[in-house]
Amino acid sequence: MALRAGRGGTGRGTLFERESELAAVDEALGELTGTPDGGDPPERPHGALLAVAAPAGLGKTTLLAEVRRRAAGRGCTVLYARGGDQEQRVAFHVARQLIQPQLAALPESELRARLGSWYAIVGPALGLCADSDGAPPDPQGLRDGLDWVLTHLAVQRAPMVLVLDDAHWADPESLSWLAAFAPRAEELPLLMVVAYRPEELPGHGEALRGLPGRSGQRPLGLEPLSAPAIARLVRESLGAHADDVFCRECWAVTAGNPFEAVELTAKVHDRGLAPTESGAHLLRDLAAAVKGSGLVARLERLGASTVRFAWACAVLGTETSPELAAGVAGLGAEEAADAADRLRAARILTGEVTAEGTLEFVHPLIATAVYRAIPGGVRVALHGQAAWTVLNAGLGPSAAARHLLETHPDGDGWVVRQLRAAARETVRAGAPDAARRYLARALREPPPFEDRAAVLYELGSASLLTEPATTVNHLRAALEETVTDPALRHGIVYRLSQVLAHSDRLAEASEILAREIRTTGDARVRLRMQAEQFMWDAFRADEPDSPARSRRLARLADRLTGRDLTERYIIGLRTWDATLRGEPVDVVLRHAERALEGGLCWAADDDRGFEVPVLVAMAFMYADRPGRTEELFVDGIADFERAGWHGAHLSFAYTLLAYVRHRRGRLAEAEDFVRAGLRLARRVGPGTPAHWYASGTLVEVLLARGRIAEAEEAAHTHGFGPPFPAAVVFPDAQTVYGELLLALGRTKEAAAELGAAGRRLDPRGMRNPGWCPWQLHLARAEAHEAPERALALAHDAVDRARHFGAPSAIGQALRTAAAVSPRAARGKLLEESVAHLERSPAGYELACSLVDLGAEARRSGHAKDAADHLYRGLETAAGCGADGLVERARDELAAAGLRPRPLRGAATDALTTRERAAAACAVRGLYPAQTAAELHLAETDVVRLLSAVYRKVGTDQAGLAAALGT
C-alpha cells in the first residue's frame, strides 16, 4: 500500500492491493455513521475495533491516514496518536495525544465542570492541570478516570474514530489502558483503529495481540505488494513509459515493501534516471540508500551541521520543535533552518520550520536508522543536552527525565534533583512505574550522601502498589543509611511497616516499630508508632502475648482524649480489641463513638492506612449497628473515589460492604458487592490480600444463599484454601473454609480446620463468637462423633455471646446449641434464639432460627406453631435471598401437610405506617405489651413489626433512637 504523499498522509494518492482492508474500514464506518451516500444514521451506532498488524514499511500508516480522511469525510470526530520509539518511557504520552487536543482549549472553569470529580485525577496525567495536594490516584483509579473521559467524549462528540499508529511504541500506561478499554468500543459510537508491528509488540502490549478485530475477526495483516502493484506505483510516480523490466526490478529490490518502493521511485526521479531496462541495474544501489548504512551515508553527504540537526531530531523523537532541535544540535536559527531544508529535500524529514510547526521523520524506519547511527558517546551527550534544553524551554522535569535515563551516571546532583522532581510529577499523575524508573536511575547517579536515604524512600514508595518485595528492600536500605532528618526516618519506618504488614509479614512490621519506639525521643512520634504497632499486632496470628498487649492498649486508650488523629487511631484500635475479645457491647460502642468524635480519614496521605477507620466501622456491625457501619462505609468509599483509589482500597471497601449486607441478611446485594470487589481485586492481582478477602467473602455469601456447589467452585477458582494468611481479619479465612467443608459433608476435615482456628484465636483472647463463629461450626462438625464436646463448645459460645451482649450473636449461638442438644431442650433454646434475633437487624440469622423452630415444632406435633414459624421463616428467607433456606422451609411445610402462602412483594427499606408507629413507641421506652395496647394490636404483631424495623433501619433495639434521629 502506498500514497504518493509522505508519511504524514495529508495528500491524496493511490492505494494499491488494499481493497479488502478498505472494505472492512468502510463497513465499520458505515455501521458507525450510516450509509456513505448520506443515508440516515443507524438508530444505535455500532462501534468496533479494527487492528492492523504488519511489519515495518508495509503501509500501516498510509492505511490509517486514509481511515482518518474517510472518517472526517463522514463527519466523525477523529482522535489520533502515534507511539514513538523515543517516547516509550514517557507516561501517558499517547493518552495525551488522543485527549488533550479535545479539551485543552477549554477555560479552566469549563474544564472543571466538564470533568467534575475526575478533574484532579486525570488532569495531571493528561497535562490539563497542575498537580494538586492530597494523595495521588492509584493506577486503576486513573485508568477508570480515563475510561470516563473517553466514554464521555465518544458520546458527546459522536460518531468518533480513535486512531493509534505504532502502538508497539506506545508507553505502557497508555497502552495498558487502551487495551483494557478496547472491548467497550462496540458499546459506544466509537471505532478504534490500532496499528502495530507484531514482532515488536512489548510485554505490556500483549493484550492488544489477544484482542479480536471487528466482529471477532483476527487483526488485518498487510502483505507485500505484488509485482503488478509495484509496477502501477512506479508508473504513477515516474510516468507510463516505465518499462516492464524496470518495474520488475523495482519489485525485486524492494521485496514488495511499499515504503521502500515509494522512496526508490523518489530517488530515481531525483537522479533523473530513465525508467527503462538500461537503468534497471542501478536500482539495487539506489534501494540500499533508502535504509540502513546507505541511508546513513546519504545523510553524511549533507554536511556536518545537517547530520547534527538530524541526530538532534532523532534524540527528541516525534513531532520535534525546530527550536528545540536547534538547541540540542548547538546550531543558530538560520543554520538550523538550512539543515532542515536539506533534510526535507533528501526525504529524511517532513514538516514546517516555523515557531508553530513541527518536524518529523518521513518514516519511523528512517528515524530508527538515524538514531542508531549516532556514535554512543555523542548520543549520550545529546540526550544530556536535550534534558537541559527542554527544561530551559519550560517543559518541566518529566520531559527531561526520559533523556536523563539515557545518560551515564556521573554523580551529578542536578541530574538527581531533576529525576526526583520528575518522579514526584509522575506519581502525582498516577504513574508509579515511571516514577520508579526515574528514581532507580537517580540512585545509580549516585545522589549526594545526604540525599541517598530520601531517594531510597521515594523509590520504595513508588514501588509500593506494584512491587511490595522491592519496596521492602529499598526501605530497609534507606534505614541503613545515616538519616539526619527525623521526619524522613519516621516516614521510612511507617512505610516499611505498612508494606511488610500488607505482604503478610506482620511480625516483621511489629519488630521494626518496636526497635524505633525504643530510640525515639519525641513523645508524639512514639505514640504514633505505638498506634501502628498495636494495629499490626492486632492482626497477627502468632502474637506471643496478645492479652498483655490488650491490657496495655486499654490503659493507654482510656487516658487519651482523642485530641489528634493518632490518639483517635489508638482509641479506634481499643474499639476493635474490645470487639475481638467480646467485651460488652456498651464498651465497644463507647470507644467507637470516642474514636469518631474528631473524625477518621479513610484516604489519608501521610502514610496512614485506612485500616483503623474500617475497624471502627466494622465494630458497629458486630455490635448490631450495621446501619451505622454502612453510613461510615459510604463516606469512606466516597473518600477513595475522590482520591482516585480504585484498586485495592476500593476492592476492600466493596468486599467489606458485602460482608455487612450479608450480616444484615441482604444476600443478593451482598453477592453483587463482593463480585464487584472481586473484579477490582483481580485487576490488582491474584494472591493479593484484596483478592483473598473478596474470595472468602464470596464463599461465605454463596453458602448463606444455599449454593454450595457454586461456593466450592468459587473457592477452587480463586485459590481460597490452605495455607491461610497470617493476618487475623474478617471473615476469618480458616473458619470460612471450615464452614465450606462442613456444608460439603466433609465433617472430619471441617473439624480439623475449625479446631486449628480455635487453637489459633482462643489463646489470644479473641473469644467473640459474633466476630468469629468457629465454635459454632466446630460444634456442628463434632455433634455426631463427640456429642458431649459439641454441646460444651456450643454452651461456651452462648456464654461468650451473652457476655458480649449483641442480640444477633446470642441468637446465632443459641440456635447452634439447640442443634447439638437433646431433643427435649431444643424448643426452648430456639424460642430464645428467635426472641433475641427479633431484636436484632440480622435478617438471615432470624430466618434460620425461625425455620429451625418451625421444623422442631412440626416434629414435636405442634402443627399450628410449626405453620406460623415456617411461614415467617419462609418469607424472611425469601426476602434475604437465601434460596437454599427457602427450599428447606418449603420442604418442612410440605412435610407438615401445608402449602406455602404466596410471598409478598420485594421488601424495601421504607417503614410502613404501622412500623413507624411501633418504632416511635419503642423509642419512648414502651414495652411490646404497652405498645400493643396503644396501637390496638396483638403483642406478637408488635414484636414482628419491631423486628422488621430493626432489619430495615440496621440497628438493634438499643440503637433505634439514634438511627431514627429522634
Side-chain angles (χ1 to χ4, degrees), residues 795-852:
H795 281 292
D796 185 44
V798 170
D799 291 342
R800 296 182 181 190
R802 291 189 193 279
H803 185 261
F804 182 51
S808 64
I810 299 171
Q812 186 181 7
L814 285 167
R815 186 174 69 252
T816 298
V820 300
S821 292
R823 174 155 293 174
R826 292 178 189 171
K828 287 189 176 182
L829 288 170
L830 287 170
E831 286 175 359
E832 188 181 357
S833 172
V834 168
H836 280 286
L837 290 167
E838 284 177 327
R839 298 196 299 273
S840 84
Y844 171 66
E845 298 298 335
L846 174 61
C848 290
S849 290
L850 283 168
V851 173
D852 279 3

Side-chain angles (χ1 to χ4, degrees), residues 711-728:
E712 182 183 24
E713 182 182 354
H716 175 75
T717 300
H718 299 293
F720 182 76
F724 300 100
V728 178

Side-chain angles (χ1 to χ4, degrees), residues 36-122:
D37 58 1
D40 293 334
E43 290 185 11
R44 184 181 181 278
H46 185 67
L49 170 68
L50 279 176
V52 182
L58 290 188
K60 298 182 297 296
T61 296
T62 306
L63 178 62
L64 264 56
E66 182 65 11
V67 170
R68 294 163 64 191
R69 188 190 67 78
R70 295 188 182 196
R74 288 172 175 260
C76 298
T77 302
V78 179
L79 276 55
Y80 174 72
R82 176 155 60 97
D85 190 14
Q86 296 302 308
E87 292 89 353
Q88 292 182 72
R89 291 189 285 185
V90 179
F92 301 110
H93 176 252
V94 163
R96 289 188 181 200
Q97 290 182 73
L98 289 171
I99 298 176
Q100 195 182 70
Q102 302 294 319
L103 300 173
L106 297 176
E108 183 182 357
S109 58
E110 187 177 344
L111 184 62
R112 284 181 177 274
R114 185 77 62 87
L115 297 181
S117 61
W118 293 110
Y119 175 82
I121 297 172
V122 302

